[in-house]
């Protein structure tokens, strides 16, 4: 479950952005719409602990994300939150499957190659597993980005993980 | 996928940068390590061969040349001295002298020097007989271990010497057969490279040589030499004592190695100066001459060392620049790694590791280069310095070189690493 309470954020030299309280139950999907510059990405970054909350509270599965210290927030994010970016980013030095395994390892779990392969198969890019990121088409890159954010077999990640996406 | 693996993959992703950094680093480390290897072994060689000799007395000329020739067997002799002049030194009643060891040089076998001397030379180099017996009769020789290993001479083998110090077939005395009676154990000092015999054998080889063309003109043959010649053919044998030498005042030797009874004795301190001022001979202290040589070599070594340090610093700078540059290219990657759960310390460690790995590879390449290089030139040096240099000897100080290398890698990586750890992921991800 995700919920926010009286969340506000102010960039240096900018206006205070006031966010309406939101609430999203487990297995629900929430769509946030808004015109350019109202703070959609800022909200997502606050939810993911990428930005430090200045005022208000963010709760994910009863964890007050805004109270976590820097490294605890990094760990919590790695373990519990999947983020798919507008622009897909990868570690260029690694192959497709190694990018997925890197995500597994940074989430604090042991790497599992067969699990990573299964995930890529489900996203229809299993045949590109051992290729360089450069060889992926735009669409395949999006799938690759999803695979990094998921990095758990599809049937289990929905129950535990919170995925947020921009775009 | 550990961060060490990730660091490694990032390094090999950019082979040109990698090559540039490690070649520079390898050259710097290689040069430093080579200088250390060379200097250590050279100093070791010089120190080992000082052999507690306090004074060398020989013909007038360059004192350093005389030391190099008579103690290290590198350079040519400054000339010969007559036994008549050297007699005071050779008398065992001399109040200051504990040991006086006469040396006669002039011949070689396959470029190993044949030295006419007495048995005391074994004690000063700590040499022990390994096989056979010591030389006692004329033309009997006892050979050092390196001579035995390299020439394959065995006990009972006969060989002819060649005049001079280089292996030159044209100068062979093909009539004088030396016979090997003993082989010494290895000492690591210059005695391993020598062929030892009695002083008279050296005279006999050369008398024989000189008397041959004189056969037509018998009158020019000096009576002494003639007598001596006669003695030799009558198989008169010279013992190895200094007293025996004194009985031949007309003969010459190359030098006398002197050990004092008491080094700090005031008279001993002036002894060398007296010889230089009042006789036709020259006296020099090995320790002083070798220190002079060190200080001369030292200038070149220092210059090379500075160059090596400069190369190492430039290579550290090149690692810094390549890491710093890659920070810009990799800022999305670093942000991604952060988003995927890596804390700031992990990102910091990643970049530091990249610097350390580059430095480690550079160190390994440099160390390999210096040892292989040392081994390759060891053969040349062996001839010139009469010392078995080796590339397969590792020094403790190389651990220090490793430490300094890693420290340079760390220093080169620290600013990029701080930059990486400070990456504002929100800002980076919100770009464009």
């Amino acid at each position: 479950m995700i919920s926010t309470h009286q969340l506000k954020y102010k960039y240096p030299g900018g206006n205070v952005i006031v966010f309406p309280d939101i609430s999203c139950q487990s297995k629900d999907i929430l769509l946030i719409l808004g015109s350019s510059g109202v703070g959609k990405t800022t909200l997502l970054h606050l939810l993911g602990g990428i930005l430090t909350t200045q005022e208000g509270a963010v709760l994910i599965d009863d964890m007050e994300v805004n109270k976590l210290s820097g490294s605890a927030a990094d760990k919590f994010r790695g373990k519990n939150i999947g983020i798919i970016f507008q622009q897909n980013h990868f570690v260029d030095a690694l192959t497709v499957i190694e990018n997925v395994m890197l995500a597994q390892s940074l989430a604090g779990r042991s790497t599992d190659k067969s699990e990573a392969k299964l995930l890529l198969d489900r996203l229809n890019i299993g045949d590109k597993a051992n290729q360089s990121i450069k060889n992926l088409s735009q669409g395949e890159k999006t799938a690759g980005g999803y695979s990094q954010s998921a990095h758990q077999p599809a049937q289990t990640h929905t129950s535990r993980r919170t995925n947020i996406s921009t775009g | 996928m550990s961060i060490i693996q990730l660091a490694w993959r990032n390094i090999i992703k950019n082979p040109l940068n990698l090559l540039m950094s490690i070649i520079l680093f390898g050259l710097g480390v290689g040069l430093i390590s080579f200088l250390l290897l060379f200097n250590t072994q050279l100093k070791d060689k010089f120190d080992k061969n000082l052999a507690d000799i306090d004074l060398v007395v020989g013909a007038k000329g360059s004192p350093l040349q005389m030391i190099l020739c008579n103690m290290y067997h590198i350079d040519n002799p400054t000339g010969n001295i007559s036994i008549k002049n050297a007699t005071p030194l050779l008398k065992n009643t001399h109040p200051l002298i504990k040991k006086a060891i006469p040396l006669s040089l002039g011949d070689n076998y396959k470029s190993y020097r044949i030295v006419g001397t007495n048995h005391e030379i074994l004690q000063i180099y700590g040499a022990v007989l390994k096989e056979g017996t010591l030389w006692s009769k004329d033309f009997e020789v006892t050979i050092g271990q390196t001579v035995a290993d390299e020439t394959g001479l065995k006990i009972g083998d006969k060989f002819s010497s060649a005049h001079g110090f280089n292996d030159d077939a044209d100068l062979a005395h093909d009539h004088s057969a030396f016979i090997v009676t003993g082989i010494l154990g290895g000492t690591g000092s210059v005695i391993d490279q020598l062929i030892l015999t009695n002083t008279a054998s050296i005279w006999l080889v050369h008398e024989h040589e000189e008397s041959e063309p004189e056969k037509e003109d018998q009158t020019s043959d000096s009576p002494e030499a003639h007598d001596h010649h006669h003695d030799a053919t009558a198989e008169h044998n010279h013992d190895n004592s200094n007293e025996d030498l004194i009985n031949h005042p007309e003969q010459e030797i190359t030098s006398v190695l002197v050990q004092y009874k008491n080094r700090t004795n005031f008279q001993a301190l002036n002894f060398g100066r007296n010889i230089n001022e009042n006789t036709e001979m020259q006296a020099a202290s090995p320790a002083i001459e070798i220190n002079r040589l060190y200080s001369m070599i030292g200038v070149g070594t220092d210059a090379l060392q500075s160059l090596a340090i400069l190369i190492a610093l430039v290579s550290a700078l090149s690692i810094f620049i390549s890491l710093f540059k890659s920070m810009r290219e990799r800022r999305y990657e670093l942000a991604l790694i952060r988003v995927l759960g890596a804390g700031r310390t992990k990102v910091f460690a990643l970049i530091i590791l990249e610097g350390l790995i580059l430095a480690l590879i550079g160190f390994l390449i440099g160390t390999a280069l210096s040892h292989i290089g040392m081994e390759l030139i060891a053969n040349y040096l062996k001839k010139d310095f009469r010392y078995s240099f080796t590339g397969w000897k590792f020094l403790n100080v190389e651990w220090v070189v490793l430490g300094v290398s890693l420290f340079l890698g760390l220093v080169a990586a620290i600013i990029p690493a701080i930059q990486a750890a400070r990456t504002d992921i929100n800002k980076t991800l919100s770009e464009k």
Side-chain angles (χ1 to χ4, degrees):
Chain A
M1 207 210 43
I2 309 172
S3 58
T4 66
H5 300 282
Q6 299 183 345
L7 206 52
K8 287 177 192 168
Y9 195 84
K10 183 181 179 297
Y11 284 105
N15 294 324
V16 180
I17 308 169
V18 183
F19 299 99
D21 288 359
I22 58 168
S23 177
C24 178
Q25 296 300 314
S26 234
K27 297 186 183 178
D28 276 3
I29 295 169
L30 182 71
L31 173 69
I32 300 163
L33 275 174
S35 45
S36 237
V38 294
K40 298 183 297 295
T41 306
T42 305
L43 177 60
L44 291 181
H45 284 184
L46 285 169
L47 292 177
I50 291 172
L51 271 180
T52 313
T53 310
Q54 293 167 339
E55 230 187 299
V58 176
L59 271 145
I60 294 177
D61 288 344
D62 300 328
M63 172 64 78
E64 276 193 83
V65 176
N66 54 299
K67 286 194 173 157
L68 291 172
S69 72
S71 62
D74 290 330
K75 265 196 191 124
F76 181 80
R77 177 174 62 246
K79 213 167 183 171
N80 301 292
I81 304 173
I83 300 176
I84 301 167
F85 300 104
Q86 221 162 339
Q87 218 83 42
N88 291 294
H89 302 302
F90 301 94
V91 177
D92 289 343
L94 303 179
T95 62
V96 176
I97 196 165
E98 282 170 340
N99 266 281
V100 180
M101 285 159 71
L102 175 68
Q104 291 176 336
S105 126
L106 289 176
R109 299 181 298 120
S110 56
T111 53
D112 185 335
K113 196 167 185 176
S114 57
E115 189 188 291
K117 182 68 172 47
L118 191 70
L119 184 62
L120 292 175
D121 283 340
R122 293 176 79 105
L123 292 165
N124 288 326
I125 51 170
D127 55 331
K128 299 274 171 81
N130 291 315
Q131 294 195 15
S132 157
I133 293 294
K134 277 180 238 150
N135 296 343
L136 294 185
S137 71
Q138 209 50 51
E140 286 168 335
K141 274 187 182 165
T142 307
Y146 177 75
S147 71
Q148 273 185 328
S149 75
H151 63 76
Q152 275 184 35
Q155 65 271 23
T156 61
H157 91 267
T158 43
S159 59
R160 297 273 334 259
R161 288 179 62 82
T162 306
N163 279 275
I164 51 183
S165 163
T166 62
Chain B
M1 185 59 55
S2 67
I3 61 163
I4 294 180
Q5 279 171 293
L6 184 58
W8 174 244
R9 296 298 289 271
N10 279 330
I11 286 172
I12 58 172
K13 192 186 92 180
N14 230 327
L16 276 182
N17 273 351
L18 170 73
L19 216 61
M20 164 83 175
S21 302
I22 60 173
I23 283 179
L24 268 177
F25 209 91
L27 274 181
V29 169
L31 199 51
I32 291 173
S33 157
F34 178 82
L35 286 173
L36 288 171
L37 282 177
F38 183 77
N39 277 343
T40 310
Q41 295 192 29
L42 192 68
K43 198 163 162 31
D44 183 55
K45 170 216 153 69
F46 276 131
D47 289 349
K48 220 172 218 162
N49 289 334
L50 277 178
D52 278 339
I53 293 299
D54 297 310
L55 200 71
V56 176
V57 181
K60 284 211 191 295
S62 149
L64 180 59
Q65 185 188 343
M66 182 176 70
I67 299 291
L68 288 177
C69 170
N70 291 291
M71 300 231 27
Y72 300 100
H73 297 275
I74 300 171
D75 214 337
N76 290 327
T78 47
N80 282 340
I81 53 175
S82 71
I83 289 189
K84 199 175 122 201
N85 286 338
T87 298
L89 300 169
L90 296 171
K91 276 191 174 150
N92 56 14
T93 51
H94 197 288
L96 295 174
I97 294 173
K98 186 166 115 196
K99 279 192 180 117
I101 301 166
L103 295 186
S104 295
L105 306 173
D107 273 38
N108 78 89
Y109 173 66
K110 292 193 174 168
S111 85
Y112 290 102
R113 289 186 179 190
I114 300 171
V115 180
T117 184
N118 65 27
H119 291 169
E120 280 189 318
I121 196 167
L122 300 184
Q123 291 161 28
I124 63 167
Y125 289 110
V128 183
L129 194 66
K130 192 173 74 180
E131 277 177 66
T133 57
L134 292 179
W135 69 100
S136 56
K137 298 193 191 110
D138 293 345
F139 292 107
E140 285 185 350
V141 300
T142 302
I143 60 179
Q145 196 189 38
T146 311
V147 182
D149 291 347
E150 298 289 320
T151 62
L153 282 175
K154 296 182 299 293
I155 288 171
D157 283 358
K158 290 185 176 182
F159 63 91
S160 298
S161 63
H163 191 64
F165 300 108
N166 299 312
D167 190 16
D168 188 339
D170 291 343
L171 295 173
H173 304 284
D174 43 26
H175 42 261
S176 48
F178 285 94
I179 180 163
V180 180
T181 62
I183 298 173
L184 301 175
T187 61
S189 69
V190 76
I191 201 167
D192 294 355
Q193 317 246 1
L194 298 179
I195 297 172
L196 304 170
T197 185
N198 66 7
T199 309
S201 299
I202 304 290
W203 301 338
L204 290 172
V205 173
H206 292 103
E207 267 164 27
H208 201 98
E209 193 93 321
E210 283 155 19
S211 59
E212 261 175 41
E214 287 165 5
K215 270 176 188 162
E216 292 156 22
D217 184 12
Q218 288 284 344
T219 50
S220 73
D221 218 356
S222 68
E224 290 95 345
H226 190 264
D227 282 352
H228 199 95
H229 195 103
H230 183 76
D231 283 350
T233 46
E235 294 199 354
H236 160 82
N237 278 306
H238 301 83
D239 70 7
N240 285 291
S241 69
N242 288 350
E243 285 73 29
D244 185 49
L245 290 187
I246 294 168
N247 291 333
H248 298 270
E250 79 290 352
Q251 292 286 6
E252 291 185 326
I253 55 175
T254 307
S255 68
V256 182
L257 307 183
V258 173
Q259 212 173 57
Y260 292 137
K261 281 181 180 152
N262 181 357
R263 229 167 253 195
T264 51
N265 184 312
F266 178 70
Q267 279 177 294
L269 293 175
N270 282 314
F271 187 60
R273 200 194 306 157
N274 282 337
I275 291 175
N276 285 331
E277 285 173 2
N278 303 321
T279 73
E280 291 165 29
M281 302 181 294
Q282 166 182 244
S285 150
I288 291 172
E289 293 305 319
I290 289 311
N291 276 335
R292 225 157 57 86
L293 182 66
Y294 277 149
S295 62
M296 284 189 273
I297 298 175
V299 179
T301 313
D302 287 351
L304 272 178
Q305 214 144 26
S306 313
L307 182 69
I309 290 170
L310 193 70
I311 294 175
L313 288 179
V314 169
S315 69
L317 191 69
S318 100
I319 292 178
F320 166 73
I321 290 171
S322 87
L323 283 177
F324 195 83
K325 237 178 66 195
S326 79
M327 284 307 101
R328 192 153 252 296
E329 293 156 8
R330 281 157 59 187
R331 61 192 193 283
Y332 291 113
E333 261 185 54
L334 291 168
L336 171 75
I337 291 168
R338 288 288 311 282
V339 166
L340 291 176
R344 288 180 191 280
T345 34
K346 214 164 201 173
V347 175
F348 180 83
L350 175 72
I351 307 303
I352 293 287
L353 266 173
E354 290 183 22
L356 290 181
I357 291 173
L358 282 174
L360 184 67
I361 298 173
F363 167 80
L364 291 176
I365 288 179
T367 302
L369 278 180
S370 67
H371 283 270
I372 292 170
M374 188 73 214
E375 185 64 19
L376 286 179
I377 65 163
N379 286 327
Y380 293 100
L381 291 175
K382 201 176 198 172
K383 268 199 181 131
D384 292 344
F385 287 90
R386 301 205 174 265
Y387 181 70
S388 307
F389 285 92
T390 170
W392 310 131
K393 194 171 159 187
F394 288 82
L395 308 169
N396 282 335
V397 69
E398 287 182 69
W399 291 110
V400 178
V401 176
L402 173 63
V404 173
S405 300
L406 292 179
F407 178 73
L408 277 179
L410 183 79
V411 169
I414 204 143
I415 291 176
I418 289 172
Q419 209 189 14
R422 275 202 192 147
T423 303
D424 185 337
I425 34 180
N426 164 60
K427 220 171 173 179
T428 308
L429 293 173
S430 308
E431 276 174 30
K432 70 170 162 181

